[in-house]
Amino acid sequence: MKERSNESAENYLETILILSHRLPVVRSVDIANELDFKKSSVSIAMKNLREKNHITMTNAGYIYLTEEGKEIAEMIYERHRLLTKCLEVLGVSPDIAEEDACKIEHVISKESFDAIKKHISEHMPS
């Protein structure tokens, strides 16, 4: 069950990162809308991320990634983008590639991901 909670936390951190590129500020309601989750579920997740020091929240409810949170979010987002691209190049439809990359990004080892990344950089156009 621990892995599931890490996957959930990683998804939230990745979503905060993505939203922070699109919006001036990120709030729980933005995350709930993006993920199509109940605001109450997002509030619980934000409390857990604050306790792990992955995010900070202002009194106005603005959410910011801490350095540690940002590192995790960027790692997951890089995996997501690269794995999606790789699957699409292999002929997987964009929707399925996106969905599968989202699952793989949480369980793939650093060694395997680094090997895929190296192979892609050497053999595939950017």
Side-chain angles (χ1 to χ4, degrees):
M1 193 63 184
K2 179 115 172 89
E3 285 179 23
R4 190 79 197 134
S5 117
N6 280 347
E7 181 178 334
S8 175
E10 289 171 353
N11 276 334
Y12 277 111
L13 293 171
E14 180 184 23
T15 300
I16 294 166
L17 178 71
I18 292 165
L19 288 173
S20 73
H21 293 151
R22 286 201 318 242
L23 303 171
V25 292
V26 178
R27 300 162 304 151
S28 291
V29 68
D30 301 317
I31 297 165
N33 291 338
E34 182 74 12
L35 297 174
D36 198 24
F37 289 172
K38 291 180 184 167
K39 190 167 181 317
S40 58
S41 299
V42 174
S43 293
I44 292 166
M46 294 307 103
K47 179 181 181 286
N48 293 335
L49 291 174
R50 267 196 326 271
E51 288 172 357
K52 292 180 181 173
N53 197 35
H54 290 162
I55 65 165
T56 59
M57 248 174 135
T58 68
N59 290 337
Y62 302 153
I63 300 166
Y64 298 97
L65 294 168
T66 62
E67 277 306 309
E68 186 180 351
K70 189 172 182 178
E71 252 179 57
I72 295 166
E74 287 175 343
M75 174 197 68
I76 294 298
Y77 189 52
E78 177 190 29
R79 288 178 175 196
H80 185 94
R81 289 190 331 261
L82 193 87
L83 292 167
T84 300
K85 175 183 168 185
C86 186
L87 291 169
E88 287 177 356
V89 166
L90 293 172
V92 178
S93 72
D95 286 348
I96 298 295
E98 179 89 19
E99 193 177 305
D100 287 347
C102 199
K103 295 172 189 166
I104 297 166
E105 70 194 24
H106 302 286
V107 296
I108 191 169
S109 69
K110 181 175 178 355
E111 181 180 352
S112 293
F113 180 74
D114 288 346
I116 292 169
K117 188 174 165 180
K118 182 175 187 260
H119 179 81
I120 287 175
S121 71
E122 292 172 356
H123 297 93
M124 295 172 118
S126 295

